[in-house]
Amino acid sequence: MNRIEGRVKVTGLATYAAEFPVKGVTYAYAVQSRIAKGRIARVDGGAALAMPGVLAVLSCEEPPEVAEDAGPELALFQSREVAYRGQIVAAVVADTYEDARAAAAVVRVEYEPGDHDVTLRADHPGLYKPEVVNPNYPTDTEKGDVEAGLAEAVTSVDVTYTTPVEHNNPMEPHAALALWDEEGRLLVYDTAQGTSGSRDTIAKTLGLPSERVRVVSRHVGGGFGAKGSTRPQAVLAALAARAVGRPVKIALTRQQMFDVTGYRTPTIQRLRLGADERGRLTAVDHVAYEQSSTLVEFAEQTTTPTRVMYATPALRTAHRLVRLDVATPSWMRAPGECPGMYALESAMDELAYAAGIDPVELRVLNDADTEPETGLPFSSRNLVACLREGARRFGWEHRESAPGRIREGDWMGGTGVAASTYPARRSPCQAVATVRDGDFLIRVAAADIGTGARTVLTRIAAGTLGVAPERVHVELGDSDLPYAPVAGGSMGTASWGSAVVRACEELRKDGKEGRADTTEEIKGDARLARHAFGAQFAEVRVNSVTGEIRVTRLLGVFAAGHIMDAKLARSQFIGGMTMGLGMALMEETFTDEEFGGFLRRDLAQYHIPACADVPDIEVAWVDEQDDDLNPMGSKGIGEIGIVGTAAAIGNAVHHATGHRIRDLPITPGKILALRFAPGG
Ligand code: MOS
């Protein structure tokens, strides 16, 4: 299907959070900490208050009231302690955005700075083992005897990979518009991946009952996880609006987004793999080191995909975390699976070369019949089919097996493969289906963050009702609608779609209205391992003189249940793979070790792939019949596209150059450091 909101988006009529027209609106602009650690001695807003149009200066000098149990990231202006450089320490509210921004520049904040530590190291003395990793997985797992498995291995690798801080960078900046009505009810137009959850978080932060808060996000210009939890702009707009007694709008600048909307934790990952004489794994050991802030423990689940990928008698996974004077990391497309699979799939490639086995065959050989960590049966697993179909489409059989052999003048050529995986979950959701003017109205607080959620839910409802999609109208993006979980964890369609199917089934019985709540249904789901799988193939050209790396072909083949809509799915996979290409070659935010905070806080310096970087992406899928997922038989597709892409490209760079670059991104500088002779 074409996107239902496509026309309003391309004609500029779609209304994003900062664009709702409101009378008497004022503007807030945040003042950010210039130190990475320490105490705020004094905030002097006098000069700012004297500037034209300025209505208020908010800071810890007169902290606005929030709930006692508000989370430390959203409890704005409550503490004098500074946890990271860039933290919001004050804000100016004024009649215009320009006035607010100009006045914010003259707010004087005096600090008592402390000594900061912003550097992740695998030998950091502050490393510890968190209780669980996100969202609720065991931190460490161990099955069999890993050391014995490694000792008996005929071939083994012991390699360490690093991945940098990366930022989500959705096109629409984080923005919010807050209005209080006379009864003290709060309305926030926000950029949120879920309005039900955002409403609850804002209410909890402000100490209000949930019924007194409404969050509306009709259109969201991307999130990739950065809008998956409530960010400070929503709370700041609400506090500022209460302070000045008028509506307040705030839109973060791109630079501010780098500071306060989350990022992907950097990782250091050590992989030890052992294999017998035939290439069967004898042991897998995967340890990840990552960071969080001093405010909140955000423990990313980096090694969890290793628990589901390959059959092995001995498997150990572990996570260690250190709390630094940095902003709290947050969700970024396939958090955990993405960096974890980069390391595992790169190490598998190293093992393939060490053992003299084709990288596709090594993966096929070690495919798992049951989930390696738990022994649970898979609801469906078609990794081998993806590898085989990908190899066929890519022309893998004609591949030169030895690395560093393909040369054309200054250009070296290579190809690589990597596997993908992502969990297939769903969570409880409500929906209501009614008849309206002879058509059908579906109401659910789902979020369309650019994925096509409106469109796919329309299709799902139409299919269940047995009517044309034109007769179905889906209303979403409003917390006053029936409760829905976040557009995250690749479970939006599975969760919302389940409720929509059930509501439509009820409507068919009743004729007037169908209501659904899938809480009980989901509790009854059988205990099975549910995951999507995929295989990605990359072809690169690497210039020995300039260090330039060009991805000339990318192919992804995915097994993600029943694909609900070919057009939407293809876009999702391409989007994920493009983001994976960025991870492989470009994306990196530097930490400023001297002053704290981040360097490269804009799109001029933080590079993401543009059209010219993405010449040829092919997407295909193996349609699965899996009745153990949800009424649609679908697995999530929002995140698996980014999983494995960076490894496939890195493996292709190795195949082209004969060298392993084990820290992302693989930039021209790192190629030049290999010192190739020009021309061959
Ligand atoms: Mo996505 S990172 O699960 O919002």
Side-chain angles (χ1 to χ4, degrees), residues 176 178-180 186 188 202 206 233-243 248:
L179 304 89
W180 295 85
L186 173 66
V188 184
I202 292 170
L206 299 181
Q233 84 281 348
V235 174
L236 178 52
L239 292 176
R242 196 172 61 189
V248 171

Side-chain angles (χ1 to χ4, degrees), residues 193-236:
Q193 287 176 226
T195 50
S196 303
S198 192
R199 173 209 45 208
D200 293 346
T201 304
I202 292 170
K204 179 177 181 283
T205 304
L206 299 181
L208 297 171
S210 278
E211 310 81 70
R212 277 178 50 196
V213 179
R214 180 181 175 198
V215 174
V216 174
S217 309
R218 292 285 182 215
H219 296 281
V220 179
F224 313 111
K227 298 168 183 172
S229 47
T230 303
R231 305 310 309 182
Q233 84 281 348
V235 174
L236 178 52

Side-chain angles (χ1 to χ4, degrees), residues 193 224-226 228 331-335 422 487-490 639:
Q193 287 176 226
F224 313 111
W331 317 107
M332 183 166 168
R333 206 171 198 169
Y422 197 80
S490 294
E639 288 163 283

Side-chain angles (χ1 to χ4, degrees), residues 580-639:
L581 192 160
M583 177 187 186
L585 302 181
M586 301 163 197
E587 297 193 40
E588 176 172 30
T589 314
F590 289 120
T591 297
D592 185 336
E593 298 199 352
E594 190 174 4
F595 296 109
F598 295 124
L599 299 164
R600 284 194 172 177
R601 295 157 61 245
D602 60 44
L603 294 177
Q605 298 175 86
Y606 185 94
H607 291 174
I608 56 173
C611 288
D613 299 309
V614 189
D616 181 6
I617 296 191
E618 184 187 348
V619 169
W621 48 81
V622 176
D623 209 60
E624 294 179 309
Q625 170 79 35
D626 185 334
D627 299 329
D628 285 307
L629 299 168
N630 54 56
M632 295 80 60
S634 65
K635 295 177 180 174
I637 57 171
E639 288 163 283

Side-chain angles (χ1 to χ4, degrees), residues 663-680:
D663 58 321
L664 289 184
I666 305 171
T667 54
K670 291 174 191 172
I671 299 293
L672 289 177
L674 301 173
R675 300 187 166 276
F676 289 102

